[in-house]
Amino acid sequence: ATRVPMHGPNQWPAHFPGLRGPAETYFAACEKLGRRLLAGIASGLGLGEAFFEPLSSEAMVQMRMFHYPPPEEEAVYGSSPHTDYGMITLLAQDPIGGLEVKTLSGEWVSAPYIEGTLVINIGDMLSRLTNGKYNSTLHRVINRAQKDRYSVAMFYHLNADADVTPLKCCITAEEPAKYSSTKYLTH
């Protein structure tokens, strides 16, 4: 069998056996939500809710648990400015804060914690598919609180071999295709 990068069994820390059950439950819920969000995006583009289903039948979905310790000096990046690679990211953050998003006008603004909600970021592959109609979210983390900060990110991707070509519904004479075709994982 061919090995696909970013596929394989999870590795669980032996020193924290109580983590696995709740993490797997959360993962399953976020994976289901990710599929629902992609269905909503497809519907909003006029493609029908099932459009992404064949492209995500073996979706690469990754969950990462982040810890940002208090900085030793001011304004130290916990995560420097970046966009996420995939389709969408579902982020649960704690009340400490620190996530900042760059607006289209170039200003960095706080993405405040709102109890019971998730932050949803658009990734590079969704931006590419929509020919830039939906833009990747440039963001960073700066822990200014002098406390430990935690977040859990679920990165939702398409199948490793999915064709990523700007969608016809996002190409016009005024907005020709900005990107060439590529396979999801080879980009």
Side-chain angles (χ1 to χ4, degrees), residues 98-102 108-111 138-142 144:
L99 175 64
E100 297 178 354
V101 179
K102 193 169 189 178
W108 286 100
V109 297
S110 174
L138 185 62
H139 56 285
R140 66 186 183 189
V141 177
I142 300 177
R144 302 177 197 275

Side-chain angles (χ1 to χ4, degrees), residues 67-79 94-100 140-150:
H67 170 233
Y68 302 94
E72 294 178 12
E73 53 188 81
E74 282 190 47
V76 174
Y77 290 121
S79 180
D94 69 11
I96 300 301
L99 175 64
E100 297 178 354
R140 66 186 183 189
V141 177
I142 300 177
N143 185 350
R144 302 177 197 275
Q146 297 301 315
K147 297 179 183 177
D148 289 296
R149 180 187 187 275
Y150 296 91

Side-chain angles (χ1 to χ4, degrees), residues 130-180:
T130 63
N131 202 38
K133 183 173 186 171
Y134 297 152
N135 290 310
S136 303
T137 310
L138 185 62
H139 56 285
R140 66 186 183 189
V141 177
I142 300 177
N143 185 350
R144 302 177 197 275
Q146 297 301 315
K147 297 179 183 177
D148 289 296
R149 180 187 187 275
Y150 296 91
S151 65
V152 180
M154 176 70 81
F155 302 97
Y156 199 96
H157 302 274
L158 297 179
N159 298 343
D161 64 350
D163 181 48
V164 181
T165 301
L167 301 167
K168 289 179 184 176
C169 64
C170 297
I171 298 171
T172 65
E174 298 80 29
E175 285 287 331
K178 299 175 187 174
Y179 307 99
S180 60

